[in-house]
Amino acid sequence: MPFHAHAGGAKDRRAPDDPRFPTESLNAHPRLQDWLAAHLEQDYPALKAVQFGTGVATALVDRRHILPVLDGLDEVSRDLRVRILTALNKSLGERDQLILTSRRHEFEAAVAQVGQPLIRAAVIVPAALTPSQAAEYLRACLSDPPPPNWANVLDILANGTAPALAAFVGTPLGLWLIRTVYLAPCADPSPLAGFLGKDATTLRTHLLERVIPAVVAARPPSSDPADHFRPRRHWDPEVVRRYLVLLARLFPPTTTRDITWWHIACVTPRVRLLAGLAAGLAVGLALWLPDGRVIAGLNLLPHAGVALMGGIGAGIAAGLFWAGQEPGYANLRMRGRLALLFRSLGRRFVVIPLPCIIVLGSMSWSMDRPGLVLLGFTIAAPATVALGLIAWAEKPLPTSSSTPRSTLRADRTLALLRAIASGIVGWLATGIAYVGADGILSVILFGHELSGAFELGFALEPQLAILGLGLGLTLGVMAGKHHAWWAYTIAVAKLVLARQLPWRLMDFLDDVHRLGLLRAVGPVYQFRHALLHDHLAACERAAACIEPGMERSQNTEA
């Protein structure tokens, strides 16, 4: 269920930055205000930009600059409705404002269960459209005079002789479905005046089944960036329907209304095991590829096999927890952020290399081995640069947005930056610091001749450099708490191989959003209406749509 937070004027419900939050976690916070501030910080990284200071989201909520709009109370479970109303009554003060929307029956039932009404609430009940008003609206959308088949439908609608049709057009959704499906070229509305107009359930199912091909046909692709309501690619309507059925079943309406890209891994079978195997193979190969037999002529192949198996075990243990992790944030934009980068590097220089220099400097003085200082600095400096760069990249910009695509890109940037930076650190630490300084170290500790020591170091360099690079990369992939993009990539790859989803899933979701079948709710998508979600999730053909061995429909993506 979405949660609007309007800080300014009204927004288009399909705008990509529509500020709404899911309320399933509302009962995890003692106050509505705490929950709202937490979601503002999570979904709007710009609020954590350095320029704004700390506690911006909390200040906006406490100073009542945010108007919460709790939209669709009726779309969540009965128990959750009761918990939400209870939390609201405990949270709202005399000056707090809130807009809550719900269908009347579900709201009244929840209030009865709570045992008290929503504090200081004014109830506004919209009037249903009359059949004559709906007929006039449809007439205005047609040519004058309307075609004969439409004239008959409008007359029957206006005089109320089709009760199911008259009741269905009393809601905006029903009127939109009829307009979308039957105002299309060559569409014959005659069934509306016949059997469809007599049975509400049949009429609703009929329209929900035909709305997808209708919007795909009505909105051909466009490459114009200013055209926000036309897709970028051409899609086969049956392909669109099949993919949406799968998503509706992966995110069932009894559980959630949100299509959350970082939770796809949670709802895809066996993805946790696949993520663990992928991480384990990466670690194991990093330990096994630099063949130990080359190093000093030693036969370490059995040890490499042990390392491979141990790496796989460690990777599985780590990868099992990737699914469901929240996405992170990183942005590599340099413009206007160089000073922040230098400060980030400077602070970490004080924390990491400087203590190393001090400790190793005292050791080198007591041992009369000045090379130890150089050794410590050479190892610590790359790690400092990597940590400072990652911390700088995680600082949001004041203009950072929160859309499904932007959160995916930000988490991908963080994941790749962490892996690449760690790989370079590993390569430098082993290939340069350890190997290159091995000559210095051997002279310092063992009294070797300087030239001979460096010859030994350079002979070891290729294998140890590969080892350091592999270990650094895998450490960067596995470290930290944000692995949403890795888990998402593995899950989508599995579903693509099973012919269940397109590889460019975000492009597909963006196009369906442009078609009007989905709406963007901050960093997640939702079906445009709960009835469409319910219909697709309960589709009789849904099981066939997600069978791995099914015949793949032809996707005519341009």
Side-chain angles (χ1 to χ4, degrees), residues 290-319:
D291 192 345
R293 291 173 296 178
V294 182
I295 302 177
L298 299 176
N299 187 356
L300 298 182
L301 189 58
H303 298 81
V306 172
L308 176 63
M309 298 306 297
I312 292 176
I316 290 176

Side-chain angles (χ1 to χ4, degrees), residues 137-138 141-142 150 168 172-188 192 206-219 515-517 528 532:
Y137 171 79
L138 292 172
C141 298
L142 296 164
W150 263 110
F168 194 70
L173 172 67
L175 203 55
W176 175 77
L177 284 172
I178 289 176
R179 175 182 175 178
T180 302
V181 173
Y182 280 108
L183 287 183
C186 302
D188 181 12
L192 296 175
H206 171 83
L207 292 172
L208 290 173
E209 272 295 305
R210 283 157 180 76
V211 69
I212 293 176
V215 296
V216 171
R219 299 183 183 180
L515 289 171
L517 298 171
R528 170 126 185 199
L532 180 60

Side-chain angles (χ1 to χ4, degrees), residues 227-246:
D227 198 340
H228 300 293
F229 299 99
R230 291 172 65 184
R232 294 294 176 253
R233 300 152 198 84
H234 179 74
W235 293 93
D236 185 326
E238 186 58 32
V239 171
V240 174
R241 184 187 184 283
R242 177 161 56 87
Y243 291 159
L244 290 181
V245 164
L246 176 74

Side-chain angles (χ1 to χ4, degrees), residues 42-71:
Q42 175 184 319
D43 294 345
Y44 293 87
L47 295 176
K48 294 185 287 186
V50 176
Q51 295 90 324
F52 296 152
T54 59
V56 176
T58 302
L60 287 172
V61 174
D62 290 343
R63 296 174 186 177
R64 298 178 177 84
H65 294 309
I66 302 296
L67 173 61
V69 183
L70 197 62
D71 179 22

Side-chain angles (χ1 to χ4, degrees), residues 499-550:
R499 299 180 177 181
Q500 297 176 4
L501 282 180
W503 177 249
R504 294 185 176 182
L505 178 58
M506 276 297 166
D507 290 343
F508 167 74
L509 293 174
D510 179 64
D511 279 348
V512 177
H513 171 234
R514 291 171 181 272
L515 289 171
L517 298 171
L518 296 178
R519 62 185 182 187
V521 184
V524 305
Y525 284 111
Q526 292 178 343
F527 284 92
R528 170 126 185 199
H529 198 280
L531 282 180
L532 180 60
H533 191 176
D534 296 340
H535 171 75
L536 293 176
C539 172
E540 292 181 0
R541 289 187 289 164
C545 290
I546 62 171
E547 286 297 325
M550 67 189 170

